């Protein structure tokens, strides 16, 4: 089944929903597009090919085109987010002062952004706790109670990455005296903790959180839960 879908550049594009015959399941999306390219104009070739074991049916046993389109559009937006995530998406870029009065609001903002982009409850907890711990530890090491800090939250491939530093040079966050990357309080929360060095020899604190099964790609695609619900109810 071929469906039309909105496209942020072209205005409209084509998507294909396919049920493969037995023994043909190994045919790739690239192979399908290669064959179609010999027969169709470029604008008629599907942007993505979605595989189905069965299509949704209505109460009369016929293809439920509305349900199929809702499902296909959700898969489409998910794929687009995943494609963008491979290149890296900045979810949050915030500057705050590294003092007690600013830490809680900053962590709450990180928690809200994590929920908004689609993280499940457990991942939101781990991410926000890790952010709070690193800011508390950096405050203890800081010579200046009112030192300005910068926090990045990046969506990259299948990971969320939290980066932290006291000063900013371009897009780089620099830690003068990073907390140890072997700190058990942080390594128990993040899937990976590291300190990366810039070309200038400065160090940036980096915590990686692998996206788990509770991640809601629908929220990631539509950015806010209310917009996602509205789309699900009214888009098609």
């Amino acid at each position: 089944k071929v469906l039309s879908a909105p496209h942020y550049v072209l205005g409209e594009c084509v998507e294909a929903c396919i049920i493969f015959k037995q023994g043909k399941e190994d045919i790739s999306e690239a192979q399908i597009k290669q064959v179609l390219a010999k027969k169709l104009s470029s604008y008629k070739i599907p942007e993505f090919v979605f595989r189905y074991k069965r299509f949704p049916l209505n109460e009369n046993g016929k293809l439920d085109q509305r349900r199929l389109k809702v499902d296909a559009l959700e898969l489409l937006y998910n794929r687009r987010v995943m494609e963008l995530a491979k290149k890296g998406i900045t979810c949050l870029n915030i500057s705050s002062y590294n003092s007690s009065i600013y830490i809680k609001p900053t962590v709450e903002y990180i928690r809200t952004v994590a929920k908004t982009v689609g993280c499940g409850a457990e991942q939101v907890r781990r991410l926000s706790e890790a952010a709070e711990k690193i800011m508390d530890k950096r405050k203890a090491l800081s010579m200046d109670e009112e030192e300005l800090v910068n926090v990045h939250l990046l969506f990259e491939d299948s990971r969320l990455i939290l980066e932290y530093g006291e000063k900013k040079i371009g897009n780089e966050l620099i830690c003068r005296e990073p907390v140890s990357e072997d700190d058990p309080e942080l390594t128990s929360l993040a899937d990976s903790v590291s300190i990366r060095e810039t070309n200038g020899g400065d160090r940036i604190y980096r915590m990686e959180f692998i996206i788990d099964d509770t991640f809601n790609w629908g929220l990631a695609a539509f950015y806010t839960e209310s917009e996602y619900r509205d789309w699900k109810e009214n888009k098609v």
Side-chain angles (χ1 to χ4, degrees):
K1 181 68 178 177
V2 176
L3 303 170
S4 64
H7 192 280
Y8 47 85
V9 176
L10 303 176
E12 189 176 57
C13 62
V14 176
E15 311 300 335
C17 302
I18 296 178
I19 298 175
F20 287 87
K21 292 182 178 179
Q22 190 171 2
K24 302 292 185 179
E25 295 89 352
D26 292 336
I27 297 176
S28 69
E29 184 173 304
Q31 289 174 310
I32 293 171
K33 290 183 178 181
Q34 190 175 21
V35 171
L36 293 176
K38 298 176 182 178
K39 302 179 179 181
L40 300 174
S41 302
S42 59
Y43 68 90
K44 294 183 178 180
I45 298 173
E47 180 186 14
F48 296 113
V49 175
F50 302 118
R51 297 169 179 260
Y52 284 80
K53 292 184 178 179
R54 62 185 66 84
F55 288 152
L57 304 177
N58 59 27
E59 57 186 15
N60 296 320
K62 296 181 179 181
L63 175 65
D64 191 328
Q65 299 214 35
R66 184 183 184 282
R67 283 175 57 199
L68 179 63
K69 189 164 186 177
V70 168
D71 185 71
L73 284 173
E74 185 169 2
L75 291 171
L76 167 63
Y77 287 121
N78 294 349
R79 280 285 295 273
R80 284 180 179 167
V81 170
M82 292 171 71
E83 292 293 318
L84 288 171
K86 290 178 182 177
K87 302 173 185 177
I89 301 172
T90 298
C91 304
L92 173 67
N93 187 357
I94 187 172
S95 295
S96 175
Y97 284 102
N98 198 20
S99 60
S100 300
I101 194 171
Y102 291 103
I103 289 177
K104 289 290 184 183
T106 301
V107 171
E108 186 59 36
Y109 192 32
I110 291 170
R111 181 183 290 111
T112 301
V113 171
K115 287 180 181 178
T116 299
V117 300
C119 289
E122 177 61 17
Q123 195 153 48
V124 169
R125 181 194 68 79
R126 291 171 57 212
L127 188 72
S128 54
E129 280 191 24
E132 185 167 11
K133 286 183 184 298
I134 186 63
M135 293 186 76
D136 278 336
K137 289 174 183 292
R138 290 303 306 146
K139 179 173 70 70
L141 290 173
S142 176
M143 296 294 291
D144 183 358
E145 180 71 8
E146 292 297 310
E147 188 171 53
L148 190 65
V149 299
N150 295 280
V151 179
H152 284 174
L153 181 60
L154 311 171
F155 185 18
E156 186 177 291
D157 202 2
S158 59
R159 301 166 298 166
L160 279 166
I161 299 168
L162 187 67
E163 290 192 333
Y164 178 96
E166 279 77 20
K167 61 179 179 176
K168 185 176 180 183
I169 302 177
N171 289 324
E172 296 292 315
L173 306 176
I174 312 302
C175 282
R176 292 199 311 272
E177 300 177 58
V179 177
S180 169
E181 56 192 303
D182 298 322
D183 189 316
E185 283 191 83
L186 295 173
T187 53
S188 65
L189 293 167
D191 294 296
S192 173
V193 179
S194 62
I195 299 171
R196 68 179 179 89
E197 290 196 3
T198 67
N199 293 334
D202 292 304
R203 311 176 86 193
I204 298 171
Y205 206 87
R206 183 180 178 93
M207 290 175 279
E208 297 186 6
F209 301 81
I210 297 173
I211 290 172
D212 57 27
D213 293 338
T214 65
F215 191 84
N216 188 328
W217 289 99
L219 295 187
F222 289 90
Y223 190 64
T224 69
E225 187 170 2
S226 61
E227 287 174 341
Y228 179 56
R229 283 200 306 268
D230 290 343
W231 175 83
K232 288 280 284 186
E233 294 172 1
N234 305 314
K235 184 64 179 179
V236 180

